[in-house]
Each structure stands twice: as C-alpha cells, then as structure tokens.
Amino acid sequence: MHDTWFVIPLFNEEQVIAEVVRDVLATCPNVVCVDDGSSDGSAAAAHAAGAVVVRHPVNLGQGAALQTGFAYALSRPDMRWVVTFDADGQHQVSDVVAMLKKARAEDLDVVFGSRFLDKRTEAGALKRLVLRMAVAYTNLTTRTKLTDAHNGLRLISRDVVSRLSITQNRMAHASELVAQIGGLGIRYGESPVHVLYTDYSRAKGQSLWNAVNILVELILR
C-alpha cells in the first residue's frame, strides 16, 4: 500500500488516536492526520505514533479537514489512492485492503464503504431507518445509487481527489462529496465494512441524534 495515503480528520481524539495510527501503520506507511484545532493533545499523540500531522489553528469542521488532507496527499507525487478514515477507532484497516483489491480488480475510481452490505455492524433499528432515509434522499439528488452515503470510510483515486472541492464543513460535507463524485461520471462501487460502535465513539457523536442531524442538514442545505 505504498501508493495509498490515509487522511484522518482529527479533533480532540487524544485517548484513541495513537492506537488508530499504529493500527494503520502496521499495513500502510502513509498517514496524515489533520488536527482541526484540537484543545487536547491529539496532534502530539498522532505525531508520536508516527503520523504526519497538519494543523488548523482553529476548528473549521470535518469537511475542511478532509480538503486539507487531500491537498497534502496530492503533494505526494507517488500517491495513487486516498482513504478517508475516522479518528475514533470505528473503521477497520482490513476493510480498506478489501476496498483497494476491489478497486483494482474492477477498475473503479471510488469505492464507498457500506455498513449495510453485511451484518457485522451493530446499529439500532431506528438509527438504520434514519440513515436509510438519508441515503434515499442523497441518491435522489446526487445521481448516485448507494446503500450508505454517510459512511466516512472511502477509497478515492488521485484523479478524483484532484477534482473535488468540499465547501460544506458539518455533516453535509458527506453528501456534497457524494454529489461531486456522482457528477463526475466516473466508475464507483461499494464494499461491505464493519463500523465498530463503542462507548467512546457513541460519546463522540455516533448516536441516533447524529443520524437525525445528517437527515436534517440534508433537507435544509
């Protein structure tokens, strides 16, 4: 995976980011964490674990952090793929390996992770319903056909990354990213992924209320 860069938006994840970085580095040597104005020791922990760290002086939101990470990855001439990866430990590196294999085998430009293509992810029935409503709305408005449009785990080719421009910084950035990819007319697919919800990740915002926020922002944007 020497041609692949993991881009990890980072905001106040001091408790877990070192373990997340070390887990990625066991498989892929390229990790950039974009510290988005954290008030704790997240940046230092990520750096000590072996990641490249780029910092925002103030909190700008996850969309801006991804855009900064994309710019850094594009500055690396040997980069072929970017992986967007959450900092709270809910994503699995083994899923990324499968996504990369799928992209190369099927000549895809983008592979979206989907927590709804197998039964590994344990999400409540109501949360699943709200997220599926958000997916239906996104598919209707973005020329895409996905089963999980708001999963932060994605594999994106260099060409596509260079053509993206994220302007939405809250939850709506995920829908904006899907809309831009849908408008490019490129080849994309989905791959099953395991989103591991822990007490820590739920406390950081992976609650039912977070899913409702996604749906509300989609409708009001």
Side-chain angles (χ1 to χ4, degrees):
M1 298 180 75
H2 289 271
D3 61 353
T4 302
W5 274 86
F6 280 64
V7 172
I8 304 180
L10 181 59
F11 180 67
N12 290 345
E13 303 281 8
E14 181 182 15
Q15 292 184 50
V16 296
I17 188 58
E19 183 177 351
V20 171
V21 169
R22 285 194 292 265
D23 191 37
V24 172
L25 289 175
T27 302
C28 176
N30 308 312
V31 184
V32 57
C33 292
V34 181
D35 182 61
D36 193 28
S38 294
S39 58
D40 64 3
S42 293
H47 178 72
V52 173
V53 177
V54 179
R55 297 187 180 186
H56 289 169
V58 296
N59 181 246
L60 299 176
Q62 193 173 53
L66 283 176
Q67 194 65 49
T68 297
F70 290 168
Y72 181 86
L74 286 168
S75 75
R76 313 299 296 185
D78 57 347
M79 184 273 287
R80 174 71 180 87
W81 299 98
V82 159
V83 175
T84 63
F85 202 81
D86 284 358
D88 59 6
Q90 68 176 357
H91 291 155
Q92 319 303 315
V93 178
S94 58
D95 286 332
V96 177
V97 174
M99 293 164 76
L100 189 58
K101 183 177 180 181
K102 179 182 179 71
R104 287 173 169 155
E106 300 178 19
D107 194 25
L108 301 175
D109 293 297
V110 176
V111 178
F112 293 94
S114 173
R115 75 200 100 176
F116 301 126
L117 289 178
D118 65 21
K119 297 181 179 179
R120 287 179 294 166
T121 300
E122 298 179 359
L126 191 54
K127 180 170 183 174
R128 284 177 178 269
L129 175 62
V130 174
L131 286 173
R132 286 188 184 282
M133 290 170 65
V135 168
Y137 187 87
T138 299
N139 285 342
L140 186 65
T141 56
T142 63
R143 304 183 210 174
T144 57
K145 188 176 181 180
L146 298 173
T147 61
D148 188 5
H150 298 89
N151 191 323
L153 183 51
R154 315 171 189 90
L155 177 75
I156 310 173
S157 72
R158 182 186 186 95
D159 175 61
V160 173
V161 170
S162 70
R163 297 159 74 182
L164 296 176
S165 178
I166 302 173
T167 60
Q168 298 284 338
N169 290 329
R170 291 171 59 83
M171 297 300 178
H173 80 271
S175 300
E176 182 184 31
L177 197 153
V178 171
Q180 290 186 18
I181 290 172
L184 292 176
I186 50 88
R187 290 173 55 83
Y188 68 87
E190 286 186 294
S191 183
V193 300
H194 179 201
V195 176
L196 181 61
Y197 297 118
T198 63
D199 291 343
Y200 176 82
S201 67
R202 288 189 177 93
K204 293 289 293 186
Q206 296 303 322
S207 62
L208 172 63
W209 183 243
N210 197 46
V212 173
N213 283 338
I214 290 173
L215 185 60
V216 171
E217 286 193 23
L218 276 174
I219 296 171
L220 297 181
R221 68 180 174 154

